[in-house]
Amino acid sequence: MNAQAPSAQGRGLSSQARNLHWLLTNLVDEVPGIRSVAVVSSDGLMLLSSDPVRADETAQPGESNGPKGSSADLATIVSGLGSLTLGAAKLMDGGGVKQTMVTMDEGSLFVMSISDGSLLGVHATPDCDMSIVAYHMALFVGRAGHVLTPELRTELRKSMENVQ
């Protein structure tokens, strides 16, 4: 699954927003096994997605690239899992949650914290190399975390509203 190229989705966006779209595109295109990606704000709103304009009717029968429905479903799952693990960490005096991995028969889900409280979520194939996926997620977080200012989050939210 390919992310929307900055030229297609990044019209009218700031250079920082276009750069984040480019980083997301590279994550999806360069890491084998990634099905879909979502960046979710600390309040649960989707900021970036690997398939923001995917229409359910465009999927072929039996095709399963990501969670059922749309990229909004992945964002919802990522937000909920992030909230659940944060609550568990507080109850257990475990400190901050850095990464959560869920392995399933037919796929894997990775959630990684970004410095501003946002979350990076990746849905991957069951045969993905988990260490490679986690490594590239950490690279994305390291590059994206310092630029996700309140202004940029607002810009990204508005751009997602315009796409959906």
Side-chain angles (χ1 to χ4, degrees), residues 18 25 36 39 73 83-86 109-110 126 129 151 159:
R18 287 192 310 272
T25 299
S36 57
V39 175
D73 292 335
S83 179
L84 180 64
T85 55
L86 184 62
L109 175 64
F110 302 81
D129 185 329
E151 296 80 15
S159 73

Side-chain angles (χ1 to χ4, degrees), residues 39-98:
V39 175
V40 181
S41 67
S42 59
D43 56 358
L45 298 174
M46 185 165 40
L47 299 177
L48 289 170
S49 173
S50 61
D51 57 346
V53 295
R54 186 180 113 200
D56 295 331
E57 59 272 6
T58 62
Q60 299 299 316
E63 179 182 27
S64 178
N65 288 327
K68 293 178 182 176
S70 67
S71 56
D73 292 335
L74 178 59
T76 301
I77 293 165
V78 167
S79 179
L81 188 57
S83 179
L84 180 64
T85 55
L86 184 62
K90 284 180 182 177
L91 285 172
M92 297 176 191
D93 292 325
V97 177
K98 296 179 182 182

Side-chain angles (χ1 to χ4, degrees), residues 89-106:
K90 284 180 182 177
L91 285 172
M92 297 176 191
D93 292 325
V97 177
K98 296 179 182 182
Q99 181 177 350
T100 304
M101 294 186 338
V102 178
T103 57
M104 302 166 279
D105 289 339
E106 299 300 322

Side-chain angles (χ1 to χ4, degrees), residues 20-48:
L20 284 179
H21 282 283
W22 180 83
L23 288 171
L24 186 87
T25 299
N26 282 348
L27 179 64
V28 173
D29 289 345
E30 293 181 6
V31 181
I34 290 184
R35 289 178 170 165
S36 57
V37 179
V39 175
V40 181
S41 67
S42 59
D43 56 358
L45 298 174
M46 185 165 40
L47 299 177
L48 289 170

